[in-house]
Amino acid sequence: MHPVSDYPELNYGVVRALALSLDARDPLTRHHSDRVARYTIALGIRLGCDKEPGRLENLIAAAFLHDVGIIGVPDGVIQKEGGFLAHEMQLMREHAVIGERLLHGAGMPLQAKWVRHHHERVDGQGYPDGLVGEAIPFESRLIAVVEALEAMTAARYDRPRTGSALDELESHKGTQFDPDITDALLDLIVSQELDDIAYDSTMTELIKESRLNDPEWVLSRSAARRRRLSSVMDVEVVDVATEP
């Protein structure tokens, strides 16, 4: 068992401030973060993260703030209506490194590391460092697959379908996603346990309180301006009013 010092007590005020900042900057990303954090709870428990003191709470915080680096992406990219150019997509991908820096500065080194690597792929084709397999932190691998599921199933994303979310997760298992973590997530989905986990903590209460924008407003806004997935790991913004 890890000693408690491996998973330190969180500064919940800092977590809340960062979440409110993200909500003020981009409510769509903040709404996405809610669901990623909720799915992370169920998957983290399934994989035993609740067995070590403080581990699950630290993991939930990282999932909740995994896209906090969006705060540092230029307005011209975040607010753009239309597809991203190559250099704009690169700026969007910088959010992982920006998030790491923000979290380090906020005194959250564990979350900083996990957030930096949440877009790595187990086959080494991810970013920002091209890590392979178990060189990617476990928590980053978990957040990666949960984030992809949320993006695949969210109403505010527009993407061509080649199969169900289950099919897509299965098809990317062992290349983009960790196979064992993906299998655990698939089991939760099939058993309908992903949204049915009884778990309350300071983080779960904080998630509910860290919103400036009403979720209904966020969803109504996304009906006019959606984000299209160019893959299961990247998005581009499209103005659906101009779509054929």
Side-chain angles (χ1 to χ4, degrees):
M1 177 179 291
H2 288 269
V4 173
S5 60
D6 279 3
Y7 300 102
E9 182 70 23
L10 291 164
N11 185 328
Y12 293 104
V14 169
V15 175
R16 185 171 185 270
L18 288 170
L20 287 168
S21 298
L22 180 58
D23 197 26
R25 180 66 188 282
D26 189 37
L28 289 175
T29 298
R30 171 63 178 77
H31 186 58
H32 160 75
S33 299
D34 281 1
R35 290 182 41 156
V36 170
R38 188 169 74 245
Y39 295 164
T40 294
I41 295 169
L43 185 55
I45 291 172
R46 174 60 64 96
L47 293 170
C49 295
D50 58 327
K51 305 302 183 186
E52 301 173 66
R55 186 180 186 186
L56 183 61
E57 193 80 341
N58 275 268
L59 173 58
I60 297 167
F64 187 44
L65 296 174
H66 74 280
D67 275 342
V68 71
I70 292 293
I71 292 171
V73 176
D75 287 343
V77 176
I78 291 294
Q79 299 171 5
K80 181 178 180 181
E81 294 189 0
F84 286 161
L85 301 174
H87 75 281
E88 293 168 334
M89 182 61 78
Q90 185 57 45
L91 286 171
M92 279 296 292
R93 289 184 171 191
E94 284 295 313
H95 79 276
V97 175
I98 296 168
E100 176 197 28
R101 292 172 180 167
L102 286 171
L103 291 168
H104 260 301
M108 301 173 67
L110 281 181
Q111 285 76 17
K113 178 175 68 173
W114 300 341
V115 164
R116 177 183 178 93
H117 298 299
H118 79 276
H119 278 295
E120 305 283 3
R121 296 170 47 119
V122 296
D123 64 4
Q125 299 303 305
Y127 62 87
D129 299 316
L131 300 183
V132 178
E134 293 188 1
I136 306 166
F138 171 87
E139 290 80 2
S140 303
R141 285 178 272 146
L142 187 153
I143 293 169
V145 68
V146 169
E147 179 183 33
L149 172 67
E150 199 286 329
M152 289 177 210
T153 56
R156 68 195 171 281
Y157 290 102
D158 183 38
R159 70 192 305 264
R161 284 286 177 191
T162 57
S164 69
L166 291 172
D167 293 334
E168 294 200 45
L169 291 172
E170 187 73 42
S171 69
H172 289 86
K173 187 172 69 175
T175 53
Q176 182 172 345
F177 305 127
D178 180 284
D180 293 335
I181 295 173
T182 305
D183 282 340
L185 180 58
L186 292 170
D187 286 345
L188 282 170
I189 297 168
V190 171
S191 63
Q192 299 184 338
E193 297 177 79
L194 188 61
D195 273 322
D196 191 27
I197 296 295
Y199 178 82
D200 293 306
S201 72
T202 304
M203 268 306 307
T204 59
E205 289 303 310
L206 184 147
I207 289 169
K208 298 172 187 175
E209 297 170 358
S210 299
R211 184 183 290 116
L212 294 172
N213 296 288
D214 190 302
E216 293 301 320
W217 178 85
V218 172
L219 291 175
S220 65
R221 175 178 180 235
S222 68
R225 181 171 175 262
R226 293 187 179 182
R227 289 179 174 176
R228 175 190 292 151
L229 292 180
S230 57
S231 73
V232 292
M233 63 191 294
D234 286 314
V235 297
E236 59 180 339
V237 176
V238 296
D239 181 355
V240 296
T242 66
E243 289 287 284

